[in-house]
Structures are given as C-alpha cells and as structure tokens.
Amino acid sequence: MKRLQKLAVFLLALLLVTVPALAAAPTKADKKEAERQELRTKTYQALKLLYEKKPKSKRAIEHAYGYAVFVDTSYTAGFIGGGHGRGRAVNNSNGTEVFMKMAQGKLGLGLGVRQTNTIFVFDTIDAFTSFITKGWTFGGQAAAAATDDVHGDSLEGSFQVAPGMWMYQMTTKGLAAELTATGTRFYVDNDLNKTQIPAVKE
C-alpha cells in the first residue's frame, strides 16, 4: 500500500513539473511567427536606412502599387561566391505581405562577407503579381538609372530592371552606384507564408 502511495505521489510530482514545461515549449507555429516578426524588423530597418539616404524614396514607395525588401548576406572565397537571404513583398493597396527568399551564385576573385539590402518598387499590379507568383531572376539585363524626371526624382538612386519595376541596393557603405545582383533569384518562401502562394510558370 505504501509503495502505491509513493508511486502516486511521484507521478503527481512528475505531472506538476512536466505539464507546465510542455505548455511553455514553443510550437512550430510559434517559431515560424518569431521568424516572421524578426524578418519584419529587419526589413523595416532596411527601409529606414534607405529613407535616411534618399528621403524622397519614402513617397515613391508609399504611393507605389507595392514594394519588396530583402536582406541578404553574400560571401566570396577565392573565385567562388554566393549569397542568401529573405524578404517581404507588400501590396500597398490592401497591406498583404508575402514572405520570400533570395539566392545568388557567382564567380569572382575576392574574399569576405557583405550584407546587402535590396528594395524593389512596383508601379503596376502586373509587375507585382508576376514577382510574387513567378519569381524573378536578375540575369545582368540592362538596368536604367532613374533620372530627375522619373516620378519627380523620388526614385533617384534606383534602377529600372523591368517594366514597372525599380530596384535599390544598399550596403553598409551606403546606396550602391551600380547593381551587383547578377544571378540572384527571388522566389516565394511558402514555409513562412500562412497560406500557399500559387506558383505560375512562364
């Protein structure tokens, strides 16, 4: 009888210790939400840096159909290099956000690690929708630098990389004078999105 009582007391004590611990343990959904929030913070900071360097860009982004912000880390070791990062695309008309990834492979002499913020501005619904459903790869196509007569110079410092699509690049040294994203692929991160974004193939 005493053995049964001791066993019952032990099991009760074990439950009192393990149940709160299990309840407090982060779930998979909690971890994903933490990742989303961390990415929101990083992209807000990237926008803040751009606005500090180019104050007029804030108006251009706020009045565009949508925008996307990516934070990535690239590396070069000898002739081989690459990069990876994550970002958010935001539809200004309804506030919907789409989480995305980016990946880059490159060849070039060098050694080191560099963080780059890449910001896209979308003038049209077609440009934005294509970006979040088909993805987009910067293959070194001709990019026209924005001039003073574009959007009242609010996009100055950016480059037009496709119809209705403008791109800024910033490093720790400031706004890039030329684009260095050749070979970079941008695509939807369905692991972080709460709903799946249907992919559309060309």
Side-chain angles (χ1 to χ4, degrees):
M1 186 68 178
K2 289 184 177 180
R3 292 181 63 184
L4 289 175
Q5 288 178 335
K6 289 181 179 180
L7 180 60
V9 171
F10 172 76
L11 291 174
L12 180 60
L14 186 62
L15 284 172
L16 290 173
V17 172
T18 57
V19 170
L22 289 173
T27 64
K28 186 176 181 180
D30 291 334
K31 291 179 180 178
K32 285 189 177 182
E33 183 55 38
E35 287 184 57
R36 285 190 283 265
Q37 192 55 48
E38 181 183 9
L39 189 51
R40 290 184 187 110
T41 299
K42 288 182 177 180
T43 54
Y44 290 148
Q45 291 172 343
L47 280 177
K48 183 179 178 182
L49 287 174
L50 174 63
Y51 296 158
E52 288 175 356
K53 296 293 182 181
K54 292 291 181 181
K56 292 182 180 180
S57 65
K58 184 175 182 179
R59 176 177 173 79
I61 289 173
E62 289 178 347
H63 288 78
Y65 180 82
Y67 66 92
V69 184
F70 292 84
V71 179
D72 82 288
T73 301
S74 61
Y75 64 90
T76 305
F79 284 95
I80 300 175
H84 60 86
R86 279 178 162 175
R88 296 164 58 242
V90 179
N91 182 332
N92 277 335
S93 65
N94 57 23
T96 301
E97 62 180 356
V98 177
F99 292 93
M100 302 186 71
K101 289 182 178 181
M102 61 179 292
Q104 180 183 32
K106 60 183 179 180
L107 296 176
L109 184 62
L111 179 65
V113 177
R114 183 179 69 172
Q115 180 172 311
T116 304
N117 298 331
T118 303
I119 297 99
F120 292 96
V121 184
F122 302 95
D123 269 352
T124 65
I125 183 174
D126 290 341
F128 181 82
T129 302
S130 177
F131 188 79
I132 65 170
T133 56
K134 299 178 182 178
W136 185 75
T137 300
F138 184 62
Q141 57 265 51
T147 56
D148 289 347
D149 60 348
V150 178
H151 291 268
D153 81 358
S154 59
L155 282 168
E156 184 185 2
S158 68
F159 294 83
Q160 185 172 18
V161 292
M165 183 173 168
W166 301 81
M167 178 178 175
Y168 295 93
Q169 267 197 323
M170 291 193 68
T171 67
T172 52
K173 295 182 179 180
L175 199 63
E178 60 181 1
L179 298 180
T180 59
T182 302
T184 304
R185 177 176 169 243
F186 302 86
Y187 56 100
V188 169
D189 182 357
N190 276 323
D191 188 49
L192 276 191
N193 287 298
K194 293 181 179 179
T195 57
Q196 297 289 300
I197 306 299
V200 177
K201 294 184 179 180
E202 297 284 0

